[in-house]
Amino acid sequence: MTTTSSQDLTNTARPMVGTDLAAEMVAKAAERARKLQDATGVQPCLATVLVGDDPASATYVRMKQNRSKKAGIGSVSVVLPAETTTEQLVAELTRLSEDPAVHGILLQHPVPDQIDERAAFEAIAPAKDVDGVTMHSFAAMAFGQPGLRSCTPGGILRLLEAYDVPLAGAHAVVIGRSPILGKPAGMLLLASNATVTYTHSRTRGLPELVRQADVVVAAVGKPNFVRGDWLKPGAVVVDAGYNEGNVGDVHAEEAARVASLLTPVPGGVGPMTIALLLEQTVDAAEAQTARR
Amino acid sequence: MTTTSSQDLTNTARPMVGTDLAAEMVAKAAERARKLQDATGVQPCLATVLVGDDPASATYVRMKQNRSKKAGIGSVSVVLPAETTTEQLVAELTRLSEDPAVHGILLQHPVPDQIDERAAFEAIAPAKDVDGVTMHSFAAMAFGQPGLRSCTPGGILRLLEAYDVPLAGAHAVVIGRSPILGKPAGMLLLASNATVTYTHSRTRGLPELVRQADVVVAAVGKPNFVRGDWLKPGAVVVDAGYNEGNVGDVHAEEAARVASLLTPVPGGVGPMTIALLLEQTVDAAEAQTARR
């Protein structure tokens, strides 16, 4: 006779969808790319660099090139063999950094083990670092200086902004501390006046810490890692994970019963990442063209 | 008739003293400076740059020069008028960055309001950034890359290490988020595998957050700001504040009744900061001499 209207069985979280917002961003970037080309004859150009033959990485690169093309952004594709050395990769990235026809450079990661990834990233000129992987871009994000942003963290912030999530004074807990995801995400949240806790594999009492969060950013790369009972009711949950089988880092079904806003996987953070990459490629092209 | 043996009236915190450790560090740096000079004829040289006539800043600079001298480190003193422009200061720092006789550069801060402090800091060559203020140095600390450290955060880490404070898995709460103190302190603690919470003026419920901390770093510049009842019993408390009248950011008397380790003010963090400055000046001189 009893009807189950309890929160336990009702999905309550509003999905924080990136798809439409990303499409808008890409449309605007495409419009700016067209204007730049009309005015100066310069087409924004993204160079993608892929080392080795990992099929998933190849798919990502192809997708980014297709999206670029649709947005009127040219692309140059560099594919290097799996046995490429750090020196060879650095030389290639240096060449692209110096090539005036290239405005943005994306090094698809991860790179093969023999390569010093940091050395490779640092060979990208900061002005062309449209994926936001250099030390310069990181420090610029941390210090509120002009610069290009890491695409996933930058996309997350745009999504939070679009959904009017109040960040000033909010407690944001970031799960994961990678140089291009967790660390810059925390710095951007801090720049938005959130209180920021960085958690990671060595953190003790992670569920209790996450339970304090007004905003959770999961960037750990473990499927369904964050459970529903780790969340404070009403929390805003950003799932930056993208694991095999389209599974995020957050247990979506459980989280949806507790969170107020939750990014879907796919269709949440992913499209925002690519949209920011394209937007920043046009930003970089405009800046480099104006400078001549 | 009752005797008061309660914890309330007993100072329990062990003082975490920087003076002796700093003296050891300076003695080792002096020894290395002497060896470098004997072997190559090159004396490590620190350039200090002071803009304006703030008496406190002048005193700090003089103290750093005196300590340098005692350690066998040469110094070059540049004093610029209060009305110096950003362009003039950048030009001076660029000149020092290019001067092969100068191995380390310290720009005393704060600088007068009309100057873009970040632009000035960035004119310091990363190899000579012995005070650890550049974006490059910050990102290197954050990413565990080789580089010079911000002196106060770097000194704090050395002190925690000397007192065998376990950091891996510990929860460190940093109060304050300045680019040369709070932010890099948090990144160094994170690199030591602590869980790190950044708190600041916009943080809500600061006492409750601080009460969770195994390690507290107070870097806020407000006398006696952190009270005893904000601390978890047994917490390790680092007071990086140095306010008028030798008063730290932590209420020392109250904190001593609760903390297990507590830095005195003065004699805690301060001497470590200067010791690291001198040590890094010798590091820089060695690196620059080896490179020739």
Side-chain angles (χ1 to χ4, degrees):
Chain A
M1 281 293 289
T2 48
T3 53
T4 47
S5 66
S6 88
Q7 206 187 26
D8 271 26
L9 294 173
T10 318
N11 283 16
T12 56
R14 208 174 129 212
M16 197 154 41
V17 179
T19 326
D20 293 353
L21 183 58
E24 259 177 60
M25 284 170 66
V26 172
K28 280 185 193 160
E31 171 67 16
R32 284 168 52 209
R34 201 180 51 73
K35 279 191 181 158
L36 183 72
Q37 195 164 5
D38 287 352
T40 65
V42 174
Q43 185 189 29
C45 175
L46 174 68
T48 60
V49 179
L50 174 66
V51 186
D53 39 22
D54 176 56
S57 291
T59 303
Y60 282 128
V61 167
R62 210 162 34 240
M63 185 175 65
K64 287 166 189 173
Q65 288 168 338
N66 289 341
R67 298 289 172 85
S68 297
K69 197 174 169 188
K70 278 190 196 159
I73 295 170
S75 70
V76 168
S77 169
V78 176
V79 181
L80 299 172
E83 62 274 17
T84 300
T85 64
T86 300
E87 291 66 31
Q88 288 166 336
L89 180 54
V90 163
E92 186 58 36
L93 292 165
T94 303
R95 190 186 66 73
L96 292 168
S97 290
E98 289 165 359
D99 182 347
V102 168
H103 305 106
I105 300 170
L106 169 96
L107 171 60
Q108 182 65 39
H109 38 91
V111 291
D113 282 346
Q114 80 276 10
I115 289 174
D116 177 345
E117 186 177 78
R118 178 49 49 198
F121 281 157
E122 293 308 310
I124 298 171
K128 298 188 179 184
D129 180 23
V130 293
D131 201 25
V133 297
T134 59
M135 289 164 70
H136 179 89
S137 295
F138 176 74
M141 286 182 273
F143 291 171
Q145 293 291 308
L148 296 160
R149 292 178 161 201
S150 303
C151 286
T152 300
I156 290 170
L157 268 283
R158 294 283 280 272
L159 198 52
L160 293 170
E161 202 179 287
Y163 278 82
D164 294 321
V165 175
L167 293 175
H171 189 174
V173 173
V174 178
I175 311 173
R177 53 172 165 171
S178 75
I180 53 167
L181 219 177
K183 279 205 181 95
M187 283 296 140
L188 290 176
L189 289 161
L190 187 60
S192 295
N193 294 316
T195 299
V196 173
T197 298
Y198 282 102
T199 65
H200 45 80
S201 56
R202 306 291 295 270
T203 292
R204 290 194 293 256
L206 182 59
E208 290 70 31
L209 284 166
V210 174
R211 219 169 279 132
Q212 297 179 38
D214 302 305
V215 177
V216 178
V217 176
V220 68
K222 293 183 185 170
N224 295 322
F225 181 69
V226 177
R227 308 305 299 250
D229 62 0
W230 295 20
L231 301 171
K232 176 159 81 173
V236 173
V237 179
V238 176
D239 188 344
Y242 188 66
N243 308 291
E244 224 164 301
N246 279 353
V247 177
D249 287 352
V250 178
H251 195 297
E253 209 179 308
E254 291 179 6
R257 294 185 196 125
V258 187
S260 63
L261 282 165
L262 171 65
T263 56
V265 175
V269 171
M272 296 300 291
T273 300
I274 296 188
L276 198 62
L277 176 71
L278 301 185
E279 185 182 292
Q280 293 196 138
T281 301
V282 178
D283 290 343
E286 286 178 348
Q288 288 162 50
T289 306
R291 254 198 273 118
R292 276 185 220 157
Chain B
M1 280 297 285
T2 48
T3 54
T4 47
S5 65
S6 88
Q7 205 187 24
D8 271 26
L9 295 174
T10 318
N11 283 16
T12 56
R14 207 173 130 215
M16 197 155 41
V17 179
T19 326
D20 292 354
L21 182 60
E24 259 176 59
M25 284 169 66
V26 173
K28 281 185 192 159
E31 171 67 16
R32 284 168 51 210
R34 202 181 50 73
K35 280 193 179 156
L36 183 72
Q37 195 163 4
D38 287 353
T40 66
V42 174
Q43 184 189 28
C45 175
L46 173 68
T48 59
V49 179
L50 174 65
V51 185
D53 39 23
D54 175 57
S57 290
T59 303
Y60 282 128
V61 168
R62 210 161 35 239
M63 184 174 66
K64 288 165 189 173
Q65 288 167 339
N66 289 342
R67 298 289 172 86
S68 296
K69 197 176 170 185
K70 277 190 197 160
I73 294 170
S75 70
V76 168
S77 169
V78 176
V79 180
L80 299 171
E83 62 274 17
T84 300
T85 65
T86 300
E87 291 66 31
Q88 288 166 336
L89 180 55
V90 163
E92 185 58 36
L93 292 165
T94 304
R95 191 187 64 73
L96 292 167
S97 290
E98 289 166 357
D99 182 347
V102 167
H103 305 105
I105 300 170
L106 169 95
L107 170 60
Q108 182 65 38
H109 37 90
V111 291
D113 282 345
Q114 80 277 9
I115 290 174
D116 178 345
E117 185 177 80
R118 177 48 49 198
F121 282 158
E122 293 308 310
I124 299 171
K128 298 189 179 183
D129 181 22
V130 292
D131 201 25
V133 297
T134 59
M135 289 163 69
H136 180 89
S137 295
F138 175 74
M141 286 183 274
F143 291 171
Q145 293 291 309
L148 296 160
R149 290 178 162 201
S150 303
C151 286
T152 301
I156 289 170
L157 268 282
R158 293 282 279 274
L159 196 52
L160 292 170
E161 202 180 286
Y163 277 83
D164 293 321
V165 175
L167 292 175
H171 190 174
V173 173
V174 178
I175 310 173
R177 53 172 165 171
S178 76
I180 53 169
L181 219 176
K183 278 205 183 97
M187 283 296 140
L188 291 175
L189 289 160
L190 187 60
S192 295
N193 294 317
T195 298
V196 173
T197 298
Y198 282 102
T199 65
H200 46 82
S201 55
R202 305 292 295 272
T203 293
R204 290 194 293 257
L206 183 59
E208 290 70 32
L209 284 166
V210 174
R211 217 169 281 131
Q212 297 179 37
D214 303 305
V215 177
V216 177
V217 176
V220 69
K222 293 183 183 170
N224 295 323
F225 181 69
V226 177
R227 308 303 300 251
D229 63 1
W230 294 20
L231 301 171
K232 175 160 83 173
V236 172
V237 180
V238 176
D239 189 346
Y242 189 65
N243 308 292
E244 226 164 299
N246 279 352
V247 177
D249 287 351
V250 177
H251 194 298
E253 209 179 308
E254 290 180 6
R257 293 185 197 127
V258 188
S260 62
L261 282 165
L262 171 65
T263 56
V265 175
V269 171
M272 296 299 291
T273 299
I274 295 187
L276 197 61
L277 176 71
L278 301 185
E279 184 182 291
Q280 293 196 139
T281 301
V282 179
D283 291 343
E286 286 179 348
Q288 287 162 51
T289 307
R291 254 199 272 116
R292 276 184 221 158

